[in-house]
């Protein structure tokens, strides 16, 4: 991970100069955040399936080189359960932003950063 961060740090100014901007969610304005949230609801959320597990069930297989999230879900009775969500590799790696302005990227960072919206 350290090498990847260093690579991005080194490339970011060159990408920016070429008009390719990579922003974190916090750097987006209200309209861009609304656009990204809509993308999550329409494209990302429908293909997610949580797999709950507990002491009575075996720990699920976690694929190598895939994005998996460990989450706590709450059922209708309010009981919490630990679950795993595998993010399908059919999703694009980058989330498109339909709200563009001058000096604003057409892309919003990695799709994996959208899960904080859920």
């Amino acid at each position: 991970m350290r090498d990847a961060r260093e690579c991005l740090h080194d490339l970011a100014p060159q990408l920016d100069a070429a008009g390719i901007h990579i922003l974190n969610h916090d750097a987006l304005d209200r309209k861009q955040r609304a656009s990204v949230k809509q993308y999550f609801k329409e494209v990302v959320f429908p293909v997610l399936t949580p797999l709950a597990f507990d002491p009575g069930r075996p720990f699920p297989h976690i694929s190598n080189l895939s994005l998996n999230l460990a989450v706590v879900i709450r059922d209708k009775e309010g009981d919490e359960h630990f679950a795993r969500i595998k993010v399908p590799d059919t999703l694009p790696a980058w989330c498109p932003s339909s709200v563009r302005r001058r000096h604003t990227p057409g892309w919003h960072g990695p799709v994996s950063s959208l899960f904080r919206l859920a």
Side-chain angles (χ1 to χ4, degrees):
M1 281 304 282
R2 187 185 63 164
D3 290 343
R5 282 191 297 272
E6 287 177 8
C7 181
L8 180 59
H9 182 310
D10 293 344
L11 286 175
Q14 295 171 41
L15 291 169
D16 194 52
I20 301 169
H21 310 287
I22 300 173
L23 294 180
N24 290 323
H25 185 265
D26 295 338
L28 299 176
D29 64 25
R30 186 176 48 83
K31 287 184 180 180
Q32 290 170 316
R33 287 182 186 189
S35 175
V36 168
K37 191 170 188 171
Q38 189 68 24
Y39 178 82
F40 179 85
K41 286 181 179 179
E42 292 176 2
V43 177
V44 178
F45 186 74
V47 298
L48 302 178
T49 305
L51 177 62
F53 55 94
D54 56 34
R57 299 180 203 160
F59 193 82
H61 174 72
I62 297 180
S63 309
N64 188 19
L65 301 176
S66 64
L67 177 60
N68 288 273
L69 304 172
V71 297
V72 175
I73 56 176
R74 190 172 294 119
D75 63 22
K76 292 178 183 178
E77 289 78 36
D79 296 326
E80 292 183 343
H81 304 277
F82 192 60
R84 166 210 167 236
I85 299 176
K86 180 180 178 186
V87 179
D89 56 8
T90 56
L91 287 174
W94 298 95
C95 171
S97 172
S98 62
V99 181
R100 295 183 186 209
R101 297 184 325 219
R102 189 170 172 226
H103 304 298
T104 302
W107 298 95
H108 162 78
V111 122
S112 58
S113 68
L114 298 180
F115 292 96
R116 64 189 254 170
L117 299 173

